[in-house]
Amino acid sequence: MKDYKKSIQDYINNNKDKTIKLLERLVKEDSISGNESKAQAIVVEKLRELDLDLDIWEPAIEELKDHPYFISARENFNGSPNIVATLKGTSGGKSMILNGHIDVVPEGNIQQWTYPPYGAIVKDNKLYGRGATDMKGGNVALILAIEAIKQSGITLKGDVHFQSVIEEESGGAGTLAAILRGYKADGVIIPEPTNMKFFIKQQGSMWFRLKVKGKVAHGGTRYEGVSAIEKSLLVIQQIQKLEQLRNDRIDDPLYDGVPIPIPINIGTINGGTWPSSVSDLVTLEGRYGVAPNEKMEDAKKEFERWIENLGNLDEWFLDHPVEVEWFGARWVPGSVEADNELVKTLLHNYHHITEQKPIIEAAPWGTDGGLFTQVLDIPMIVFGPGETKVAHYPDEFIDLDQMFLAAEIIACTLIDWCKVQEQHEGEGVYENEKVL
Amino acid sequence: MKDYKKSIQDYINNNKDKTIKLLERLVKEDSISGNESKAQAIVVEKLRELDLDLDIWEPAIEELKDHPYFISARENFNGSPNIVATLKGTSGGKSMILNGHIDVVPEGNIQQWTYPPYGAIVKDNKLYGRGATDMKGGNVALILAIEAIKQSGITLKGDVHFQSVIEEESGGAGTLAAILRGYKADGVIIPEPTNMKFFIKQQGSMWFRLKVKGKVAHGGTRYEGVSAIEKSLLVIQQIQKLEQLRNDRIDDPLYDGVPIPIPINIGTINGGTWPSSVSDLVTLEGRYGVAPNEKMEDAKKEFERWIENLGNLDEWFLDHPVEVEWFGARWVPGSVEADNELVKTLLHNYHHITEQKPIIEAAPWGTDGGLFTQVLDIPMIVFGPGETKVAHYPDEFIDLDQMFLAAEIIACTLIDWCKVQEQHEGEGVYENEKVL
């Protein structure tokens, strides 16, 4: 048996500049939601070079909209193609989906960037730009993994589907579309930025909007009104209690040392129109963390019940209930057992290549991975280059060495998972045919 | 002695339609800050008919800006004239300032109005429109009072200065300008809408803006950040305690039955930019009530000290102190003793005309009156037609009967206060001159 893994390593080492160029081209495209096509075109060009089977389509909202996990603020996905590229196996091995999203969040306040957000500047072996770590660096690691296998002349038995999807940042419509199109496999790797740690569980989340009512009055006689701002204090305190209760329930040792495994974050508050008027409306928006093994629907109901209970604390809420709306983004939770074959294979290769002890954690954020576990019930693991803490922030960057290392680990995992079609096996068949 | 007061009553009764027309014309002009000139032109036209001495000028901001009580968001008052019309007395009587503001607050959401805000529709003896009650109705009552005196052939001994000022709704720059121009008198009546009650004390107020700091983080790891929204809860609770303390101090029986004599109203709250981020900034804006006998500067310092003390409750505030800014509008408090001659004269006429017991209260809001008591130290009383509760709201209206009643009471008060130059006194002089 040839040392395939050595070939992989050599290929990656010999093709770093070319790979960085690919990442540069991708980061230079501001592929925010609705604007993914140019970045996807670069992906397609690369995948064609590798001679993979390509499936390129714009998801049809009609086919998605009734799915319980569908969420999107868009009316259609015209001009926003999904891509699935398949490296067909010879059969007899396990299949794998390698999933990455092409969409990025907006650059935010340009003044806060030292490097231009779409400049793809390389400095000290880091590439800077929006999406570098979340997650174009991860996508390039996936492409490089497949490229290294293919160009090293390795033939796999199991199929590998590389998915370059849209809409992850807005709730996963791109991955859901790929699932509903029929793509499935024996395992899924998503190289979101875990800083090379292994996230075997992931928090789900959904966004809520609360409308807290008051009664307007002049500030000088504020006792004639009811302040929605004061009532919001009770609402916030109620949510804090719910967060406590929900987190007290979590006994998974994976969460030891995590102060709040599934936080409820109240991210925005807005109310009142005039300093000297009593405000009659406060709007709170936030993110509601969902436990890896929890049903979205159950989590939602618990929250709604808790808000309803405000009436027991303050009669005002009986006649003026707080309105709860679920809006915007939503990510379903996901989990895989630590002794799952997928996890073990990936960890083995990590350890073999890095000679370091792998770190296993629970993800504090959701990915499209939850869709694979909840809709298809297939094992999924999140493992990738780059640090979460720079994602969505100014001067986002990716460590290029991590990207190459991730590509190597993933390529070697594919070799173990999908199995290699050995040359002599092929010859054997040929010999048998000759015999017949 | 002629029955002057009967003449006043007759004049008013016989000139109601004409007076309503004047109010209609005034309400039809949307004299919001910066747009007062057309309404003032109507006032001038009327005052010229009455042959009063007119002083019309645009206040010069350079002459006001260093005054401790000056406040305005405007860069200049070009196109926004102040008017003072003087009914010169023959001397020997006390003088009076009758002060009313011509500016109105914006109409707000037009959808919430049943009547067009600048339509001046009369229905069931009420006139509807922005500024009807606050306080064009009061202004018309003042003009009618002077008109009734003049047209009834009554000559007063003391001077009467009618002031139609700008900028009351933004902190009193118009009245301050009239004071600094040299106008003073032995008493001041301001017919802001008290619903015919007598406000002998008035709360002052100023606006504050607080900036509460936090530290940004992803909502899924919110424990890595510091929520400015959570910290705002402490700030709001601290302000609630300060309000309690300040109100516990007030022992004036005039405030018996008023739940919160000098409220601190937090009117707006705005913070955070994204549901799943920890917010690093919350801005609170509010109105800080100042007791009638309190110095603005002392009140301000107490508030600032209280906010500084947050550091004792939560160390976060030691390194991230809440910023306090005083901005926007400010009204100085004011008070007059219940046994002051001005109060007694006005009450006497109210009782004589209405045969009802006058109601004396403390105003829950500031007026320009505080400037007269604090800058000039002259007695001032707020008494006028219309209800506060419709001021600044959709479908603001004035009860026209109240307006006429107020005009009569004020005219009769002028007769007592300024004293009438009796015909025979004049004749006496004439006779004496003949003798000489």
Side-chain angles (χ1 to χ4, degrees), chain A residues 119-140:
Chain A
I121 304 292
V122 176
K123 197 171 174 186
D124 298 334
N125 216 30
K126 294 183 177 76
L127 189 146
Y128 288 85
R130 170 57 76 237
T133 199
D134 182 14
M135 60 176 284
K136 289 173 175 173
N139 291 349
V140 168

Side-chain angles (χ1 to χ4, degrees), chain B residues 135-191:
Chain B
M135 61 177 285
K136 288 173 176 174
N139 292 349
V140 168
L142 295 181
I143 294 171
L144 180 59
I146 296 170
E147 178 181 344
I149 288 170
K150 183 106 185 179
Q151 307 294 29
S152 303
I154 299 166
T155 306
L156 297 178
K157 292 184 173 177
D159 295 344
V160 178
H161 303 290
F162 167 66
Q163 304 184 331
S164 180
V165 299
I166 61 172
E167 291 291 301
E168 191 273 345
E169 297 290 359
S170 317
T175 288
L176 182 64
I179 289 172
L180 297 183
R181 200 165 172 93
Y183 289 101
K184 57 189 173 190
D186 298 309
V188 180
I189 298 173
I190 301 184

Side-chain angles (χ1 to χ4, degrees), chain A residues 289-306:
Chain A
V290 180
N293 55 354
E294 194 176 20
K295 289 217 161 54
M296 296 293 271
E297 215 40 51
D298 293 345
K300 217 185 243 192
K301 276 188 194 135
E302 181 166 43
F303 185 90
E304 288 168 358
R305 207 165 48 237
W306 209 257

